[in-house]
Amino acid sequence: GYLLGAAAPDGAIVHNHLHFTVRYHLPSPSVTTGEAWRGSGRRARIVGFEVEPSSRGYTHAARWPDDSEGEAGSAVDVLNLSPAEVGLSHDGTSPMVLRRRGGKPVELIFTYNVTYALSEVPYSSRWDNYLMLEEGSQVHWLSLCGSLALSLLLASLVAAIMLATVRRDLQKYNAIDADDDLVEVGWKYTHADVLRPPPGPLSLSCALGAAV
């Protein structure tokens, strides 16, 4: 994405012009120019795409068409006009600034231009610029180390709680005389219930599968 604009003291600056740079690669080593490649009947491959926004304060000498019908009755695309059709001009320095006008409509013109640039990056390596970013690799390792440390901390906490519970119950069992009735307490309550099937296993599995 790109910034739609920026704040200004007297309003807001709008980025209403986009400069697209399309980078393409010619796979054949014998073809070195775009003209020769187009003449060969083969196609180039796009390996890069860049967008550079800017703000331009436009003026137009001719009247902007209100509908899709021109003067001679021919079809006119109001949203995609050539700058020469309306005499569009720009001084090269003035940005497009939106100011409050008490509810009055503001004319905002968007333009773009496209530049095709020959690139030596092969089609198979077009993602290398994004995959080999140093900043991204550091963030990846930092997140991995943080997740691993958190997992180890939680596992150690659970293990410590279980060891303390089992040790306390074992001390109680060792303190009971052999002649006394052995009363099972603590975690030993569950040893007889772990492998015992519940009543209605089919209904239980259907309910769990349906997230009831």
Side-chain angles (χ1 to χ4, degrees), residues 23-35:
R23 303 188 183 277
Y24 63 94
H25 176 68
L26 305 178
S28 176
S30 60
V31 180
T32 58
T33 62
E35 289 75 9

Side-chain angles (χ1 to χ4, degrees), residues 126-204:
R126 63 191 186 279
W127 294 107
D128 290 353
N129 292 334
Y130 305 98
L131 298 178
M132 302 300 293
L133 289 177
E134 183 178 359
E135 181 180 359
S137 61
Q138 291 179 354
V139 173
H140 175 73
W141 282 109
L142 181 61
S143 302
L144 183 60
C145 294
S147 300
L148 182 61
L150 183 60
S151 300
L152 292 176
L153 178 63
L154 294 177
S156 302
L157 181 62
V158 173
I161 295 175
M162 291 183 63
L163 287 176
T165 303
V166 173
R167 186 182 295 111
R168 184 172 60 251
D169 290 343
L170 290 177
Q171 290 176 355
K172 292 180 181 179
Y173 299 147
N174 295 331
I176 299 176
D177 295 336
D179 297 334
D180 297 338
D181 295 334
L182 183 61
V183 180
E184 295 180 350
V185 294
W187 58 276
K188 277 200 170 184
Y189 273 131
T190 62
H191 83 281
D193 296 334
V194 172
L195 300 178
R196 186 175 63 184
L202 182 59
S203 300
L204 179 61

